[in-house]
Amino acid sequence: MSANSQKKKFYALNMFDVVDLEKYLAYFSRLPEAAPQYGGRMVAFGRFRDNVAGDVAPRQVLFLVEWESEEAFISFRDDPALADLHPLRESGAASYVWQTFDGLDMSDPADVSLDDVLAVLKP
């Protein structure tokens, strides 16, 4: 077992097109405060550049959010206290792809072993 086995994370990949900038900004302006309360941390965001390969139609924007666990993500997604937040995202975006992944913290890629990689690649 590698040292990295203690650093398991849960990731949510969000890819979408912006259809109502005002609504999406209303959502996003609350996200930096809301997500950490549920164990979430935005890892990356960016604007579409090029479709190099793959079957997913391009989206304008991507966000990658790291969660402490699947339970943390679910608590953020399903908490009734945030019932007014998620509709802002939904109405501000279209062609939304929201996928989740199990993963490892790669803050120090040197800590990732071949066993870690094989654990991800094997069914």
Side-chain angles (χ1 to χ4, degrees), residues 13-99:
L13 173 66
N14 305 263
M15 297 187 307
F16 56 92
D17 295 327
V18 177
V19 293
D20 187 324
L21 183 59
E22 185 176 316
K23 286 181 183 173
Y24 198 84
L25 286 176
Y27 167 76
F28 186 76
S29 69
R30 291 176 52 194
L31 194 59
E33 181 179 325
Q37 293 177 19
Y38 296 82
R41 177 180 77 87
M42 190 175 306
V43 175
F45 69 95
R47 181 114 181 130
F48 175 76
R49 182 165 185 177
D50 187 18
N51 192 26
V52 177
D55 297 331
V56 176
R59 305 301 197 271
Q60 295 171 342
V61 179
L62 82 75
F63 284 97
L64 180 62
V65 181
E66 178 185 84
W67 297 90
E68 292 175 357
S69 64
E70 181 178 11
E71 294 76 20
F73 168 75
I74 291 170
S75 70
F76 170 78
R77 185 191 67 193
D78 295 346
D79 190 336
L82 299 177
D84 65 327
L85 179 65
H86 298 300
L88 294 170
R89 180 192 72 247
E90 294 163 4
S91 61
S95 303
Y96 206 87
V97 174
W98 201 7
Q99 299 175 332

Side-chain angles (χ1 to χ4, degrees), residues 99-114:
Q99 299 175 332
T100 59
F101 299 84
D102 293 317
L104 296 174
D105 180 347
M106 297 220 16
S107 300
D108 184 356
D111 284 345
V112 177
S113 73
L114 182 57

